[in-house]
Amino acid sequence: MAADLLARAGHGVNVLQEEAPRGRTIGWVPPQLARELALGELTVDLPEPWLRAPLADGGVLELSRDMARSVEAIRRVNARDAASWPRFCERMATLARLLERLYVEPPPSLVDLRFAFRLRRLGRQGLEDLMRLLPMPAAELLDDWFESDVLKGALGAQAVRHLLQGPRSAGTAFRLLHYHAGNPPGVFRVPASNLAPLLRARVAPREAKVARITVRAGEVTGVMLDRGEELRASLVVSAADPRRTLLDLVEPGWLDPDLARALRHVRSRGVAAKVALTLERAADWKTLTLAPSLDYVERAYDDAKYGRVSAQPWLDVIADGKDAEVHLQYAKADDGDLAALATRLLTPFLSVTAARVLPTPASWPDGQPHQAELALDQALWMRPLPELAGYRTPIKGLWLGGQAMHPAVPGLAGYNCARELLRSV
C-alpha cells in the first residue's frame, strides 16, 4: 500500500519481496481507503454465520451478522445472554468506531488535543467503558455480560488469537475490541480480502532478498541484495519487523544503544500453527470454533506459558468445500505432529483424508504475524516502541511500514507510513 501511494505521488518505486504472500489478506480495509486508492475490484469476505461453536448436547451456537438471528441463537442457549447481547454489541461498537478513526492515521499522542476531543465525543458512558475495558482481562469483561460458557469461550478465544496470553490476562479485552474494528456490531472476526493481489498488479514486486540496508553519514543510501546487486535510493520503507530492519539489515553503530536494547526486548512470540485439511466430503458449514469455555482456553494457555505444546489447544476452522484451514493455538508450526492433533480433535465434526502443517511465512518473526505482539503496552503510541511509533527511524530516509507498526492491520501501517513520509519530503 505504501508503494502504491508513493508511486501515485510521483516517486520511482521498486518493491522487493522475499516470498509471495500466501492466500488472501486477513484484515479490515477501511472504505475511505478503498475509495482513495480506487480499489473498485476489492472483495471482502466474512463467513456467515461468522462464528459456529458446538454445544455439549450436540447442537451449535451460531453468531450472525444479523443481530436478530444472533439473539435468537443465543436465546436457545441462555435467555439472559440473549437479552444482554444487543447492549453488549452496541457498547463495543461505540468503542470500535473510535479505534477505526485512530487506525487510519498515525498513532495519537497523549498531548494531542484532537485525541482528547475524540475521547470527549464518546460521552460519559463511552469514556467509562473505554477506561475500564482497556486494561481488563477479556474473561472479566465477558463474565460481566454473559453466563453461557460456550459463548464466553468462543469470544474469549478470539480475544487472544496469536497472543501468548490467556483470556484471564490483563489487557486482553482490548484485543477483542481490536478485532471488532471495521465490523458490524456483534462481529468479532477479521475479514479476508483480495487487497494484496490488487496492489501487486499496480506496482509489480520483484522477488529478491535484501542482505543490507546501506547507510552513509546517518542517511540511507539504498539496499544491497544477497546476490551482490546494489539498488540506490534516498528513501527506504521496510515492511520487515523493526528488529530485523534496524539490528540485522543496518550495520551496527547507527543506533543509540538504549534503542537497540529496547528493540531486542520487543515481544514477538508466535503461538499458533496453521493446518491444511483435505476432507472426505465437503463440510456443510463455513466455520467452526472449538473453545467450549474460558477455562478451556485458559488451560490451553497454561501449557504454552510453561513452554509446552497445548495438549488441548483451541481451534478455529474455516472450510471451503473439501478444503479447510485450521488455526491451532497454542503451538507453533515446528512443535511436533500438529496435523495429527488437529485431525484427532476434529474427528467428531469432519472426515479428514489428509492433513499437513503449513510453513510459517519468513516475514513472521518467531511465527508472530503481527511481527510485534499486539498487547496494550505495544499498541497505539507505544507500537512497537514509543521511539519508533511515528514510522520514521533515527536513520534519515529509513521508514518502517510493516505489521509491527500502528495499527497492526495489514496494509494500514504502510498507508499511514507513506502519508507521513509524503508530508515530510
Side-chain angles (χ1 to χ4, degrees):
M1 199 169 291
D4 187 54
L5 281 172
L6 293 173
R8 284 168 173 262
H11 289 272
V13 175
N14 282 315
V15 178
L16 306 175
Q17 65 177 25
E18 294 185 2
E19 59 180 353
R22 185 181 71 200
R24 295 168 69 78
T25 302
I26 305 300
W28 168 54
V29 182
Q32 65 267 38
L33 185 149
R35 290 192 297 269
E36 180 181 342
L37 298 183
L39 299 173
E41 298 179 3
L42 181 73
T43 59
V44 179
D45 298 322
L46 188 71
E48 178 60 26
W50 68 268
L51 188 142
R52 188 175 183 274
L55 302 173
D57 63 4
V60 292
L61 169 66
E62 294 183 338
L63 298 183
S64 170
R65 282 173 280 185
D66 182 274
M67 182 66 68
R69 290 178 61 184
S70 291
V71 169
E72 184 56 35
I74 296 170
R75 182 176 289 113
R76 290 193 288 268
V77 177
N78 186 294
R80 289 184 179 179
D81 289 356
S84 298
W85 182 251
R87 292 185 292 113
F88 171 76
C89 295
E90 180 184 359
R91 300 270 280 271
M92 293 292 283
T94 297
L95 302 181
R97 300 298 87 84
L98 172 66
L99 286 191
E100 290 169 15
R101 292 191 291 272
L102 296 179
Y103 283 1
V104 293
E105 56 188 38
S109 165
L110 286 175
V111 297
D112 189 338
L113 290 179
R114 292 174 300 174
F115 180 52
F117 287 141
R118 284 175 178 161
L119 292 179
R120 289 190 62 183
R121 283 199 293 267
L122 289 174
R124 181 183 178 88
Q125 183 64 66
L127 274 172
E128 289 177 355
D129 287 345
L130 180 66
M131 300 310 294
R132 185 166 182 266
L133 178 144
L134 288 179
M136 199 176 193
E140 290 186 10
L141 172 69
L142 296 169
D143 283 340
D144 277 356
W145 284 92
F146 306 116
E147 298 174 342
S148 166
D149 281 340
V150 68
L151 176 60
K152 293 189 291 185
L155 293 175
Q158 295 296 330
V160 295
R161 182 183 286 263
H162 287 298
L163 184 66
L164 188 55
Q165 292 182 359
R168 302 194 188 282
S169 300
T172 49
F174 160 71
R175 285 292 295 264
L176 188 63
L177 183 64
H178 172 81
Y179 288 130
H180 193 23
N183 278 323
V187 176
F188 296 88
R189 180 185 291 278
V190 179
S193 74
N194 63 337
L195 177 64
L198 286 180
L199 295 176
R200 286 200 301 272
R202 295 182 177 186
V203 185
R206 170 185 173 186
E207 289 195 18
K209 185 173 182 178
V210 175
R212 180 74 64 190
I213 296 172
T214 55
V215 180
R216 181 175 299 167
E219 297 185 20
V220 72
T221 60
V223 297
M224 182 74 70
L225 305 185
D226 63 343
R227 296 180 179 179
E229 180 183 359
E230 184 175 6
L231 301 178
R232 307 285 292 179
S234 59
L235 293 171
V236 172
V237 178
S238 174
D241 69 278
R243 185 161 48 202
R244 183 186 174 206
T245 299
L246 292 169
L247 299 184
D248 297 341
L249 296 182
V250 172
E251 291 181 354
W254 293 113
L255 286 190
D256 179 89
D258 289 339
L259 177 57
R261 183 164 48 251
L263 271 172
R264 294 188 184 97
H265 288 91
V266 170
R267 299 189 310 282
S268 58
R269 301 164 294 189
V271 295
K274 293 286 186 183
V275 180
L277 305 179
T278 302
L279 310 178
E280 183 179 326
R281 54 184 176 275
D284 58 3
W285 41 262
K286 294 292 186 183
T287 183
L288 182 73
T289 299
L290 298 186
S293 69
L294 289 169
D295 286 343
Y296 179 99
V297 181
E298 189 70 21
R299 283 194 295 268
Y301 163 61
D302 283 342
D303 281 336
K305 183 168 59 178
Y306 295 108
R308 301 188 296 264
V309 176
S310 176
Q312 290 287 118
W314 75 267
L315 306 181
D316 192 54
V317 186
I318 299 291
D320 182 10
K322 288 189 175 183
D323 296 317
E325 186 171 283
V326 184
H327 172 97
L328 186 152
Q329 188 171 322
Y330 298 84
K332 291 197 293 185
D334 56 355
D335 282 338
D337 195 352
L338 300 182
L341 177 59
T343 300
R344 175 174 61 80
L345 293 172
L346 291 169
T347 294
F349 312 100
L350 293 170
S351 296
V352 178
T353 60
R356 63 186 178 90
V357 178
L358 296 174
T360 300
S363 59
W364 295 7
D366 199 29
Q368 174 55 248
H370 294 300
Q371 294 185 342
E373 289 175 35
L374 182 59
L376 197 55
D377 65 321
Q378 292 187 166
L380 300 170
W381 54 84
M382 297 179 288
R383 181 155 186 85
L385 295 168
E387 300 93 324
L388 299 175
Y391 308 105
R392 65 179 72 207
T393 73
I395 298 170
K396 185 177 179 181
L398 178 58
W399 295 72
L400 300 170
Q403 276 279 79
M405 309 305 293
H406 170 80
V409 175
L412 286 192
Y415 172 79
N416 291 338
C417 174
R419 292 177 69 191
E420 283 294 285
L421 191 159
L422 290 171
R423 290 190 189 104
S424 70
V425 296

